[in-house]
mmCIF file of all heavy atoms in Angstrom:
data_model
loop_
_atom_site.group_PDB
_atom_site.id
_atom_site.type_symbol
_atom_site.label_atom_id
_atom_site.label_comp_id
_atom_site.label_asym_id
_atom_site.label_seq_id
_atom_site.Cartn_x
_atom_site.Cartn_y
_atom_site.Cartn_z
ATOM 1 N N ILE X 1117 -24.198 -5.579 -4.872
ATOM 2 C CA ILE X 1117 -23.183 -6.531 -5.200
ATOM 3 C C ILE X 1117 -23.819 -7.781 -5.661
ATOM 4 O O ILE X 1117 -24.643 -8.410 -4.937
ATOM 5 C CB ILE X 1117 -22.325 -6.864 -3.938
ATOM 6 C CG1 ILE X 1117 -21.700 -5.511 -3.466
ATOM 7 C CG2 ILE X 1117 -21.213 -7.861 -4.264
ATOM 8 C CD1 ILE X 1117 -20.837 -4.870 -4.429
ATOM 9 N N PRO X 1118 -23.520 -8.320 -6.828
ATOM 10 C CA PRO X 1118 -24.150 -9.567 -7.366
ATOM 11 C C PRO X 1118 -23.629 -10.762 -6.550
ATOM 12 O O PRO X 1118 -22.621 -10.683 -5.863
ATOM 13 C CB PRO X 1118 -23.604 -9.593 -8.830
ATOM 14 C CG PRO X 1118 -22.352 -8.841 -8.800
ATOM 15 C CD PRO X 1118 -22.503 -7.746 -7.747
ATOM 16 N N PRO X 1119 -24.382 -11.878 -6.712
ATOM 17 C CA PRO X 1119 -23.895 -13.099 -6.059
ATOM 18 C C PRO X 1119 -22.510 -13.495 -6.472
ATOM 19 O O PRO X 1119 -22.139 -13.196 -7.547
ATOM 20 C CB PRO X 1119 -24.971 -14.106 -6.449
ATOM 21 C CG PRO X 1119 -26.130 -13.342 -6.854
ATOM 22 C CD PRO X 1119 -25.590 -12.070 -7.447
ATOM 23 N N CYS X 1120 -21.848 -14.205 -5.545
ATOM 24 C CA CYS X 1120 -20.437 -14.649 -5.815
ATOM 25 C C CYS X 1120 -20.525 -15.979 -6.626
ATOM 26 O O CYS X 1120 -20.758 -17.034 -6.057
ATOM 27 C CB CYS X 1120 -19.699 -14.806 -4.534
ATOM 28 S SG CYS X 1120 -18.007 -15.212 -4.743
ATOM 29 N N THR X 1121 -20.363 -15.930 -7.931
ATOM 30 C CA THR X 1121 -20.344 -17.078 -8.759
ATOM 31 C C THR X 1121 -18.946 -17.665 -8.897
ATOM 32 O O THR X 1121 -17.966 -16.952 -8.929
ATOM 33 C CB THR X 1121 -20.869 -16.762 -10.153
ATOM 34 O OG1 THR X 1121 -20.110 -15.707 -10.749
ATOM 35 C CG2 THR X 1121 -22.321 -16.311 -10.121
ATOM 36 N N PRO X 1122 -18.829 -19.004 -8.916
ATOM 37 C CA PRO X 1122 -17.516 -19.637 -8.976
ATOM 38 C C PRO X 1122 -16.767 -19.409 -10.285
ATOM 39 O O PRO X 1122 -17.357 -19.480 -11.336
ATOM 40 C CB PRO X 1122 -17.788 -21.085 -8.655
ATOM 41 C CG PRO X 1122 -19.219 -21.299 -9.188
ATOM 42 C CD PRO X 1122 -19.944 -20.005 -8.926
ATOM 43 N N TYR X 1123 -15.464 -19.163 -10.208
ATOM 44 C CA TYR X 1123 -14.628 -19.147 -11.323
ATOM 45 C C TYR X 1123 -13.371 -19.967 -11.017
ATOM 46 O O TYR X 1123 -12.880 -19.919 -9.873
ATOM 47 C CB TYR X 1123 -14.131 -17.712 -11.684
ATOM 48 C CG TYR X 1123 -15.093 -16.818 -12.377
ATOM 49 C CD1 TYR X 1123 -15.926 -15.959 -11.707
ATOM 50 C CD2 TYR X 1123 -15.211 -16.860 -13.773
ATOM 51 C CE1 TYR X 1123 -16.819 -15.190 -12.344
ATOM 52 C CE2 TYR X 1123 -16.075 -16.034 -14.423
ATOM 53 C CZ TYR X 1123 -16.880 -15.202 -13.677
ATOM 54 O OH TYR X 1123 -17.787 -14.417 -14.357
ATOM 55 N N PRO X 1124 -12.890 -20.741 -11.963
ATOM 56 C CA PRO X 1124 -11.638 -21.438 -11.719
ATOM 57 C C PRO X 1124 -10.524 -20.408 -11.464
ATOM 58 O O PRO X 1124 -10.482 -19.320 -12.085
ATOM 59 C CB PRO X 1124 -11.370 -22.157 -13.077
ATOM 60 C CG PRO X 1124 -12.721 -22.326 -13.716
ATOM 61 C CD PRO X 1124 -13.495 -21.062 -13.247
ATOM 62 N N ALA X 1125 -9.583 -20.754 -10.611
ATOM 63 C CA ALA X 1125 -8.593 -19.785 -10.214
ATOM 64 C C ALA X 1125 -7.752 -19.306 -11.405
ATOM 65 O O ALA X 1125 -7.319 -18.167 -11.425
ATOM 66 C CB ALA X 1125 -7.649 -20.453 -9.173
ATOM 67 N N LYS X 1126 -7.531 -20.161 -12.365
ATOM 68 C CA LYS X 1126 -6.619 -19.812 -13.463
ATOM 69 C C LYS X 1126 -7.320 -18.964 -14.520
ATOM 70 O O LYS X 1126 -6.726 -18.351 -15.381
ATOM 71 C CB LYS X 1126 -6.077 -21.096 -14.120
ATOM 72 C CG LYS X 1126 -5.240 -21.983 -13.182
ATOM 73 C CD LYS X 1126 -4.039 -21.232 -12.622
ATOM 74 C CE LYS X 1126 -3.235 -22.102 -11.700
ATOM 75 N NZ LYS X 1126 -2.029 -21.407 -11.129
ATOM 76 N N THR X 1127 -8.696 -18.979 -14.503
ATOM 77 C CA THR X 1127 -9.441 -18.233 -15.558
ATOM 78 C C THR X 1127 -10.206 -17.107 -14.955
ATOM 79 O O THR X 1127 -11.150 -16.608 -15.576
ATOM 80 C CB THR X 1127 -10.374 -19.168 -16.268
ATOM 81 O OG1 THR X 1127 -11.264 -19.749 -15.371
ATOM 82 C CG2 THR X 1127 -9.594 -20.319 -16.961
ATOM 83 N N CYS X 1128 -9.929 -16.682 -13.733
ATOM 84 C CA CYS X 1128 -10.648 -15.576 -13.085
ATOM 85 C C CYS X 1128 -10.478 -14.303 -13.898
ATOM 86 O O CYS X 1128 -9.337 -13.969 -14.244
ATOM 87 C CB CYS X 1128 -10.093 -15.403 -11.668
ATOM 88 S SG CYS X 1128 -10.815 -14.011 -10.887
ATOM 89 N N PRO X 1129 -11.600 -13.623 -14.186
ATOM 90 C CA PRO X 1129 -11.518 -12.388 -15.064
ATOM 91 C C PRO X 1129 -10.996 -11.210 -14.227
ATOM 92 O O PRO X 1129 -11.763 -10.405 -13.726
ATOM 93 C CB PRO X 1129 -12.962 -12.190 -15.480
ATOM 94 C CG PRO X 1129 -13.755 -12.751 -14.360
ATOM 95 C CD PRO X 1129 -12.982 -13.901 -13.836
ATOM 96 N N VAL X 1130 -9.706 -11.079 -14.065
ATOM 97 C CA VAL X 1130 -9.142 -10.028 -13.225
ATOM 98 C C VAL X 1130 -8.883 -8.729 -13.949
ATOM 99 O O VAL X 1130 -8.528 -7.714 -13.362
ATOM 100 C CB VAL X 1130 -7.799 -10.527 -12.533
ATOM 101 C CG1 VAL X 1130 -8.091 -11.735 -11.685
ATOM 102 C CG2 VAL X 1130 -6.816 -10.859 -13.654
ATOM 103 N N SER X 1131 -8.976 -8.704 -15.245
ATOM 104 C CA SER X 1131 -8.718 -7.483 -15.998
ATOM 105 C C SER X 1131 -9.946 -6.578 -15.947
ATOM 106 O O SER X 1131 -11.050 -7.048 -15.958
ATOM 107 C CB SER X 1131 -8.357 -7.816 -17.470
ATOM 108 O OG SER X 1131 -9.451 -8.504 -18.046
ATOM 109 N N ILE X 1132 -9.700 -5.298 -15.872
ATOM 110 C CA ILE X 1132 -10.760 -4.303 -15.827
ATOM 111 C C ILE X 1132 -11.332 -4.124 -17.271
ATOM 112 O O ILE X 1132 -10.529 -3.856 -18.154
ATOM 113 C CB ILE X 1132 -10.244 -2.987 -15.279
ATOM 114 C CG1 ILE X 1132 -9.789 -3.162 -13.861
ATOM 115 C CG2 ILE X 1132 -11.334 -1.883 -15.363
ATOM 116 C CD1 ILE X 1132 -9.154 -1.930 -13.255
ATOM 117 N N PRO X 1133 -12.581 -4.270 -17.454
ATOM 118 C CA PRO X 1133 -13.161 -4.212 -18.814
ATOM 119 C C PRO X 1133 -12.862 -2.888 -19.509
ATOM 120 O O PRO X 1133 -13.039 -1.828 -18.947
ATOM 121 C CB PRO X 1133 -14.684 -4.328 -18.611
ATOM 122 C CG PRO X 1133 -14.776 -5.017 -17.281
ATOM 123 C CD PRO X 1133 -13.609 -4.575 -16.433
ATOM 124 N N GLY X 1134 -12.357 -2.970 -20.735
ATOM 125 C CA GLY X 1134 -12.114 -1.804 -21.565
ATOM 126 C C GLY X 1134 -10.723 -1.092 -21.235
ATOM 127 O O GLY X 1134 -10.388 -0.166 -21.912
ATOM 128 N N VAL X 1135 -10.088 -1.533 -20.230
ATOM 129 C CA VAL X 1135 -8.813 -0.878 -19.842
ATOM 130 C C VAL X 1135 -7.785 -1.916 -19.528
ATOM 131 O O VAL X 1135 -8.036 -2.849 -18.824
ATOM 132 C CB VAL X 1135 -8.992 -0.009 -18.584
ATOM 133 C CG1 VAL X 1135 -7.668 0.753 -18.238
ATOM 134 C CG2 VAL X 1135 -10.098 1.031 -18.814
ATOM 135 N N ARG X 1136 -6.594 -1.859 -20.137
ATOM 136 C CA ARG X 1136 -5.545 -2.776 -19.815
ATOM 137 C C ARG X 1136 -5.153 -2.600 -18.371
ATOM 138 O O ARG X 1136 -4.985 -1.462 -17.904
ATOM 139 C CB ARG X 1136 -4.392 -2.613 -20.752
ATOM 140 C CG ARG X 1136 -4.667 -2.998 -22.211
ATOM 141 C CD ARG X 1136 -3.456 -2.888 -23.043
ATOM 142 N NE ARG X 1136 -3.733 -3.335 -24.428
ATOM 143 C CZ ARG X 1136 -2.820 -3.401 -25.406
ATOM 144 N NH1 ARG X 1136 -1.584 -3.030 -25.107
ATOM 145 N NH2 ARG X 1136 -3.184 -3.776 -26.620
ATOM 146 N N LEU X 1137 -4.977 -3.701 -17.719
ATOM 147 C CA LEU X 1137 -4.662 -3.672 -16.268
ATOM 148 C C LEU X 1137 -3.412 -2.883 -16.033
ATOM 149 O O LEU X 1137 -3.326 -2.097 -15.033
ATOM 150 C CB LEU X 1137 -4.540 -5.086 -15.712
ATOM 151 C CG LEU X 1137 -4.681 -5.299 -14.230
ATOM 152 C CD1 LEU X 1137 -6.043 -4.765 -13.781
ATOM 153 C CD2 LEU X 1137 -4.539 -6.723 -13.843
ATOM 154 N N ARG X 1138 -2.379 -3.052 -16.823
ATOM 155 C CA ARG X 1138 -1.138 -2.387 -16.621
ATOM 156 C C ARG X 1138 -1.277 -0.859 -16.726
ATOM 157 O O ARG X 1138 -0.748 -0.107 -15.918
ATOM 158 C CB ARG X 1138 -0.008 -2.882 -17.619
ATOM 159 C CG ARG X 1138 1.329 -2.329 -17.365
ATOM 160 C CD ARG X 1138 2.345 -2.964 -18.319
ATOM 161 N NE ARG X 1138 2.410 -4.418 -18.109
ATOM 162 C CZ ARG X 1138 3.163 -5.250 -18.836
ATOM 163 N NH1 ARG X 1138 3.911 -4.700 -19.853
ATOM 164 N NH2 ARG X 1138 3.182 -6.508 -18.678
ATOM 165 N N SER X 1139 -2.048 -0.442 -17.715
ATOM 166 C CA SER X 1139 -2.275 0.998 -17.915
ATOM 167 C C SER X 1139 -3.049 1.553 -16.734
ATOM 168 O O SER X 1139 -2.801 2.720 -16.275
ATOM 169 C CB SER X 1139 -3.006 1.270 -19.215
ATOM 170 O OG SER X 1139 -2.318 0.792 -20.310
#
Side-chain angles (χ1 to χ4, degrees):
I1117 303 301
C1120 185
T1121 54
Y1123 281 94
K1126 299 300 181 182
T1127 60
C1128 174
V1130 299
S1131 58
I1132 297 177
V1135 182
R1136 291 185 178 181
L1137 199 59
R1138 185 175 301 177
S1139 301

